[in-house]
Amino acid sequence: MKEEDLKLQITGILKSSGKERKNLIPLLQEIQREFGYIPPEAMEEIGKFLGIAETTVYGVATFYNQFRFTPPGRHHIKVCLGTACHIKGGNIILEAWERKLNIKEGEVTPDRGFSLERVACVGCCALAPVSMVEDTVEGKETIEGTMMPTRVDGILLSFELEEKKKDKIKGEEE
Amino acid sequence: MSKVNLTIDDVPVNAAEGESILWAALDAGIYIPNLCAIRERKSPFASCRLCWVEIEGVDLPATSCTTPVKEGMKVQTRTPRVLRLVRTSFELLISHHPVDCARCAKNKKCELQRIAREFKFKLKPGKFRKLLRELPVDSSHPCFILDPNKCVLCGRCVWLCNEVQRACALDFAFRGLNTVITTSGGKPLGESDCSACRECVSVCPVGALIPK
Ligand code: FES
Ligand code: FES
């Protein structure tokens, strides 16, 4: 997205809000709903709009786990670390994702293929440990229950194969 | 302004009404450990949990920076309960603080060393596990260096930067063990809104903000 477009979209969101400080978190949520993350430009604009320091906006935004600062990748992976998943070794699963994708929780791979996020209980504790795999382009979400590190490999492999297949079809069409 | 009479560690003290016990004691030459207190600050931050005292007739120990003096008050600053609380707060701070005094620019002027000396504490985390962070040191600013690893999160620099100097370059970010003092977006201080007033450096009780 071009910078001017981004700014325009941000001011559009700001316009519908009041200027009181209490609007800070709702605004951040609105921005994240729109962009899938909080761009630095948005924090600057929110600060100006509400008449508070940009650092304060950054401080509040980073305090909450719900906000992310990198754009989500094509496949957005949410690893549950709620109580049940935690007990069932959710952190081992998170580590497996981190190691395989070579990024940390909250980050995105350089090619924008995958992003990683930790979440609290996603509501299917019987399947713990749970990961959710979201296709941000097609807007589809798959729940992966009773995760194991080997399953992480499996999921990534299937994506790889899928990509290859698509490339092949594309090649044939051309 | 009217004055009130009280005793601190059995020493009679005369203090201005509305003053907190902490400043009344410090003025009278009685040391109460503190990191986050700033006299000019109207509502104390009260985050370091070091300034404990016991007041006669009050069940629980209180933080002296948030408790105003009262006529006839009897304050004790070194009771067993106070000592235990101070020790715990201190050990928690040390568990998160790299102890490398010999190579630290704040050596001998560090508030943590002072507390250790006054209370005969070791610079060790005691019953706690040492949990050090390995954060990058920011030396991008022409005047000073910020070492977030040594920061005790007292909030003094934040208050000065935002409420007094109004430069609004520094603030808290993140949460829990990951809390840091940083600029907006975590960008280098050299590129921030800092106006180079250096007030933050002058109030840092430890070696986190050091002049160049
Ligand atoms: S704790 Fe993970 S789904 Fe409930
Ligand atoms: S000085 Fe009272 S809590 Fe820090």
Side-chain angles (χ1 to χ4, degrees):
Chain A
M1 198 184 301
K2 275 211 266 46
E3 203 175 311
E4 297 101 75
D5 293 350
L6 185 73
K7 280 244 164 94
L8 221 60
Q9 221 172 328
I10 294 169
T11 21
I13 293 169
L14 294 182
K15 264 212 302 266
S16 56
S17 149
K19 282 194 187 269
E20 301 83 27
R21 160 116 195 211
K22 65 163 195 250
N23 294 310
L24 175 52
I25 291 173
L27 273 175
L28 286 168
Q29 286 169 322
E30 196 57 41
I31 296 273
Q32 174 140 315
R33 211 167 357 229
E34 193 63 36
F35 300 103
Y37 77 112
I38 316 258
E41 294 85 354
M43 287 191 266
E44 195 185 326
E45 292 301 323
I46 293 177
K48 275 192 220 149
F49 182 77
L50 298 179
I52 55 179
E54 194 188 327
T55 350
T56 313
V57 180
Y58 180 69
V60 171
T62 52
F63 185 86
Y64 295 100
N65 276 337
Q66 59 171 295
F67 297 122
R68 14 183 320 120
F69 303 94
T70 43
R74 184 176 196 301
H75 301 286
H76 185 56
I77 320 272
K78 295 182 194 154
V79 184
C80 181
L81 285 182
T83 314
C85 292
H86 178 83
I87 287 174
K88 286 282 196 167
N91 56 329
I92 298 173
I93 304 301
L94 178 61
E95 240 170 63
W97 284 113
E98 288 184 332
R99 209 177 31 223
K100 270 285 150 193
L101 296 172
N102 206 7
I103 52 171
K104 288 258 164 281
E105 168 252 315
E107 294 178 348
V108 60
T109 51
D111 65 352
R112 291 278 161 86
F114 293 90
S115 50
L116 201 54
E117 183 187 351
R118 57 178 282 185
V119 292
C121 189
V122 289
C124 46
C125 309
L127 300 177
V130 175
S131 291
M132 279 170 103
V133 181
E134 192 187 329
D135 189 320
T136 51
V137 178
E138 284 168 26
K140 271 190 302 197
E141 205 161 45
T142 344
I143 290 183
E144 297 283 345
T146 28
M147 281 293 288
M148 296 217 264
T150 47
R151 181 78 187 115
V152 171
D153 296 334
I155 294 171
L156 290 176
L157 192 66
S158 71
F159 282 143
E160 224 171 88
L161 293 178
E162 216 175 276
E163 284 296 310
K164 276 212 190 112
K165 212 158 78 194
K166 266 195 215 140
D167 284 349
K168 211 168 136 199
I169 295 172
K170 237 199 226 156
E172 276 166 12
E173 273 173 3
E174 274 167 15
Chain B
M1 198 188 283
S2 54
K3 292 268 188 176
V4 296
N5 292 301
L6 67 157
T7 67
I8 303 177
D9 292 345
D10 303 321
V11 180
V13 172
N14 187 256
E17 204 184 323
E19 187 74 280
S20 69
I21 298 173
L22 175 68
W23 294 109
L26 293 175
D27 284 349
I30 298 164
Y31 181 66
I32 296 179
N34 67 89
L35 289 174
C36 65
I38 293 188
R39 193 165 209 152
E40 297 73 36
R41 188 171 184 167
K42 292 254 155 34
S43 51
F45 195 42
S47 67
C48 72
R49 318 314 283 172
L50 280 164
C51 65
W52 297 102
V53 294
E54 283 203 78
I55 302 161
E56 202 181 276
V58 179
D59 276 352
L60 295 173
T63 44
S64 62
C65 66
T66 57
T67 316
V69 293
K70 268 207 216 84
E71 184 64 41
M73 211 179 214
K74 292 202 174 76
V75 180
Q76 294 292 337
T77 71
R78 298 291 192 274
T79 66
R81 281 207 292 183
V82 165
L83 292 178
R84 200 162 153 215
L85 282 168
V86 174
R87 177 182 283 275
T88 301
S89 298
F90 182 80
E91 287 176 349
L92 279 169
L93 283 165
I94 291 293
S95 76
H96 211 40
H97 186 89
V99 177
D100 186 18
C101 304
R103 283 194 288 160
C104 178
K106 248 325 192 338
N107 193 13
K108 304 230 161 71
K109 293 183 298 265
C110 173
E111 201 60 30
L112 288 173
Q113 287 178 320
R114 172 161 188 204
I115 296 165
R117 198 170 58 237
E118 298 271 350
F119 287 82
K120 306 215 163 36
F121 292 159
K122 291 205 183 71
L123 290 163
K124 296 235 167 81
K127 51 191 168 292
F128 301 110
R129 209 170 6 128
K130 194 104 190 169
L131 278 177
L132 290 181
R133 298 172 287 182
E134 271 160 44
L135 300 169
V137 175
D138 183 352
S139 45
S140 64
H141 198 281
C143 311
F144 57 89
I145 300 169
L146 167 64
D147 183 350
N149 300 297
K150 291 181 184 165
C151 178
V152 288
L153 302 171
C154 67
R156 279 155 73 154
C157 55
V158 170
W159 183 76
L160 266 150
C161 190
N162 289 276
E163 304 298 325
V164 183
Q165 300 298 331
R166 304 218 171 262
C168 304
L170 285 174
D171 209 333
F172 291 101
F174 300 95
R175 174 171 52 167
L177 284 176
N178 298 322
T179 313
V180 283
I181 298 288
T182 183
T183 59
S184 178
K187 56 174 172 268
L189 265 164
E191 294 163 28
S192 72
D193 298 329
C194 173
S195 59
C197 69
R198 274 169 281 186
E199 285 295 326
C200 56
V201 178
S202 72
V203 290
C204 182
V206 294
L209 285 161
I210 291 294
K212 266 193 180 169

